[in-house]
Amino acid sequence: MKIVGGPSSIDLARKISEMLAFPLVNIRMKRFPDGEFYVKFEENIAGENLLIVQSLYPPQDIHAMELFLILHTARDLGAETIRVFVPYLAYSRQDERYLEGECLSAAMIAEIIESLGADSLYTIDVHNENVLKMYKIPVYNLTASGELARYFAKKTLERPLVVAPDDEDLAKRRAAYAARVLGADWDALEKRRDRYTGEIVTFAKDLNARGRDAIIIDDIISTGKTTANAAKILREQGAKRIFVGVSHALLLGDSIRLIMESGVEEIVGTDSVVNDYAKVSVAPILARALRGDIEQV
Ligand code: R5P
């Protein structure tokens, strides 16, 4: 197998290539003066089995277009099989028409990836599992919860408590999984988001957090409101130290300030999103998955 690193995930692709001892394919990408992309494979890939690595964190439309161009070119140049690893699968919110007339953007992304010739898709902690039902090719929704928990396990924690900041089934499964890896307890808060205003309300409940170190585990930090609400509740209930482990640390706008002011000591993200908070790599998760060890919640 050969690894193709897309522009959004070149370091991650390099790590996967080193971990599996599969070579990186040399590609060249640039922009024409009008902004359009130019893509060139610098070596012959006809008959090769490829793994394309490209995360779709913001600017997601640019990263998506890069992925589509690389995928199309790889198929066009005769790659034998193409696995696609998209750690952050953007457009995973809209799997159904919540309001009349809405676009099913998740379905559109699935149609494009499939029609461009992907044979299988690997992703990390997809926001909504229902979007994966839109694919006819095999799709593997891996979890970073274990790797995040292993990061926190290296710290000396006081009776750690893992907290899901909302009580959706997937959020609870991620927290339970991280807690199992850490050998800790876990609990979940209940959260409601207004579909029109985006405002978030988190309902307080007794988390038995007094004197303990807490780790909030979530799939995405976007505006930071979900994390900040959970951290405030934990602080009010006497938690000692509060950490956040998140698969996709988008950290938009004012989110970092909001989270730190709510009493969080450290934000830990993964290299699904390239920023200063990418302290955990998803490379070992993918490497294990390719060897048949699929880590899922
Ligand atoms: C909930 O639906 C998700 O798991 C995340 O909690 C959410 O996307 C985080 O968004 P924000 O940072 O804007 O509160």
Side-chain angles (χ1 to χ4, degrees):
M1 188 191 292
K2 290 188 173 179
I3 316 286
V4 182
S8 70
S9 300
I10 190 69
D11 289 339
L12 173 59
R14 200 167 287 125
K15 275 188 197 144
I16 294 169
S17 138
E18 283 164 12
M19 217 163 254
L20 293 168
F22 292 144
L24 270 181
V25 173
N26 198 6
I27 62 167
R28 189 150 69 92
M29 288 196 77
K30 63 173 186 177
R31 293 242 200 189
F32 289 107
D34 62 359
E36 289 179 6
F37 285 111
Y38 167 92
V39 180
K40 181 176 184 293
F41 277 69
E42 300 278 34
E43 59 192 88
N44 183 7
I45 50 144
E48 296 284 358
N49 297 308
L50 296 185
L51 171 74
I52 298 173
V53 183
Q54 169 85 347
S55 199
L56 302 187
Y57 57 87
Q60 51 276 72
D61 297 343
I62 287 177
H63 291 151
M65 192 63 190
E66 290 166 341
L67 171 65
F68 300 156
L69 289 165
I70 293 169
L71 186 50
H72 181 272
T73 314
R75 181 55 85 204
D76 206 25
L77 294 175
E80 177 70 18
T81 62
I82 306 175
R83 293 175 169 92
V84 180
F85 181 34
V86 182
Y88 178 62
L89 188 60
Y91 289 103
S92 288
R93 295 178 190 280
Q94 198 82 42
D95 64 310
E96 59 179 272
R97 264 185 261 288
Y98 298 101
L99 302 174
E100 204 181 327
E102 288 179 341
C103 166
L104 298 181
S105 43
M108 185 203 70
I109 294 287
E111 277 176 37
I112 297 176
I113 289 178
E114 280 186 345
S115 65
L116 291 180
D119 294 296
S120 56
L121 172 72
Y122 295 76
T123 187
I124 300 281
D125 291 316
V126 73
H127 182 65
N128 177 350
E129 286 177 304
N130 287 336
V131 309
L132 305 180
K133 296 181 186 147
M134 295 169 162
Y135 290 80
K136 294 180 209 76
I137 55 172
V139 179
Y140 303 94
N141 180 29
L142 309 171
T143 187
S145 295
E147 285 301 306
L148 290 166
R150 282 171 211 116
Y151 176 92
F152 291 113
K154 291 185 196 129
K155 296 180 185 287
T156 309
L157 297 174
E158 181 72 30
R159 293 188 297 131
L161 170 69
V162 176
V163 175
D166 71 65
D167 65 351
E168 294 281 325
D169 179 52
L170 200 46
K172 290 197 284 190
R173 274 157 47 204
R174 281 192 301 266
Y177 188 87
R180 200 159 63 237
V181 172
L182 266 169
D185 303 335
W186 71 275
D187 208 333
L189 287 163
E190 194 189 334
K191 174 188 104 173
R192 292 281 170 270
R193 188 192 290 263
D194 187 298
R195 199 168 286 291
Y196 292 92
T197 64
E199 271 322 298
I200 290 169
V201 180
T202 307
F203 303 97
K205 74 174 210 194
D206 184 10
L207 292 167
N208 184 25
R210 188 153 302 281
R212 302 175 68 177
D213 292 335
I215 302 161
I216 299 165
I217 290 284
D218 207 354
D219 60 338
I220 300 174
I221 296 177
S222 178
T223 65
K225 290 178 188 170
T226 302
T227 303
N229 283 2
K232 275 184 208 151
I233 291 170
L234 280 161
R235 203 174 47 172
E236 279 161 17
Q237 295 188 10
K240 237 170 101 191
R241 302 164 79 195
I242 305 169
F243 302 93
V244 185
V246 61
S247 311
H248 312 292
L250 303 182
L251 296 169
L252 306 179
D254 216 14
S255 58
I256 297 170
R257 188 187 57 77
L258 202 63
I259 291 169
M260 298 322 272
E261 283 181 3
S262 70
V264 168
E265 180 174 321
E266 186 183 2
I267 302 169
V268 179
T270 77
D271 52 3
S272 152
V273 181
V274 177
N275 59 26
D276 292 345
Y277 298 87
K279 301 174 188 175
V280 166
S281 181
V282 296
I285 308 169
L286 192 273
R288 286 194 293 268
L290 291 179
R291 293 190 193 112
D293 178 8
I294 307 277
E295 196 172 3
Q296 287 178 319
V297 293

